[in-house]
Amino acid sequence: MKRLLRIILGPVAHACAALLLAAIVCCPASAQTPPPSAPAPAAAAAGPRQAEPQAPAVAPANEPASPPTSVAAQLPRDLSAWGMFLSADIVVKAVMIGLAFASFVTWTIALAKTLEIFAARRRLRSELAALARMSSLADAARKFGERQGLAPLVRAAMIELNLSADASDKEGIKERVASRLERIEAATGRRMTRGTGMLASIGATAPFVGLFGTVWGIMNSFIGISKSHATNLAIVAPGIAEALLATALGLAAAIPAVVIYNVFSRSIAGYRALFADAAAEVLRLVSRDLDREARRPGAKAWDGKISAAE
């Protein structure tokens, strides 16, 4: 009987054990399944509310281009020299206009003085060659007449000879003639250097004027930094560009002025040397006429009474 019960109840016990084991295993899984399903409605309910804040959260990721656009709006549209001039401060504009005018004056003086010195040296060489062939002061007076060039030298020598006609000291006459010729030579040198002083002033002051514009432009850049509370290069760039443009204009006005001034100084020194040779030639004519008068008392070679043959 026990054996029969064991045979009958054995499968039943195994079945119960299998069901119990299945219940133990399945119950935790079934207990854990509802929690995720429970938050689902909350998530679903919160979904529409979270969708609205997430839209601006995504927008900033796509909006970094807006600050450069606002900064770029502060920059001049044209960064050429003319564009920087138009966008510059009024003080920097005044500096640039002054330097541009100084450069215009430099090149105007350069052109005018080049033509003047070239024509004067060419005429002086030809007159000096003609004067060297003269044998008396009267011949030189007839040759040059009232023309500019060597005419003032010849006229001054004749005036002094006529004023000293009754003087017996011939050396004193030569000294007085030489003094007159020296004054004419000095006046001619001053006339030839007219305008070159402006070149010296421009060459000496233009770099400092440009430096003033540079300092003013950089100061405006720092003011822009303090107002915007940003150190972005786009804010500082316009003021720095204007400052560098002022510096460039200062150098463009100063360097040619200095070079042209040095060239004119050498050219004028050569012209004065030629004029000094002409004055020495006139003084030799005076000495020659005085020696002829010593041989022929009462005759005045500078009045044309003694021929060139004598």
Side-chain angles (χ1 to χ4, degrees), residues 29-153:
S30 62
Q32 292 176 0
T33 304
S37 61
R49 290 194 301 268
Q50 291 178 356
E52 295 178 358
Q54 284 178 358
V58 176
N62 298 328
E63 289 182 357
S66 59
T69 304
S70 61
V71 173
Q74 300 175 2
L75 292 174
R77 295 181 180 179
D78 187 7
L79 288 179
S80 63
W82 180 249
M84 288 187 291
F85 170 76
L86 293 178
S87 61
D89 185 77
I90 184 63
V91 176
V92 181
K93 282 183 179 179
V95 170
M96 292 180 183
I97 293 173
L99 292 174
F101 179 75
S103 181
F104 174 76
V105 171
T106 296
W107 289 108
T108 302
I109 294 176
L111 179 61
K113 295 300 292 184
T114 298
L115 296 177
E116 180 184 359
I117 294 175
F118 178 78
R121 292 186 65 173
R122 183 178 180 181
R123 181 180 59 195
L124 184 59
R125 286 195 185 98
S126 62
E127 291 182 356
L128 183 59
L131 184 63
R133 294 191 296 268
M134 300 295 171
S135 60
S136 66
L137 196 61
D139 293 340
R142 287 191 296 269
K143 172 67 176 178
F144 299 111
E146 297 296 329
R147 293 185 304 168
Q148 294 294 325
L150 299 184
L153 294 176

Side-chain angles (χ1 to χ4, degrees), residues 2 8 11 13 20 30 48-49 58 62 80 96 114 138 154 165 168 188-189 191 199 221 227 233 242 244 297 304 308:
K2 291 181 181 180
I8 296 172
L20 182 60
S30 62
R49 290 194 301 268
V58 176
N62 298 328
S80 63
M96 292 180 183
T114 298
V154 177
S168 59
T188 303
R191 186 178 67 252
L199 296 177
S221 299
K227 288 182 178 180
L233 183 61
E242 296 162 10
L244 294 178

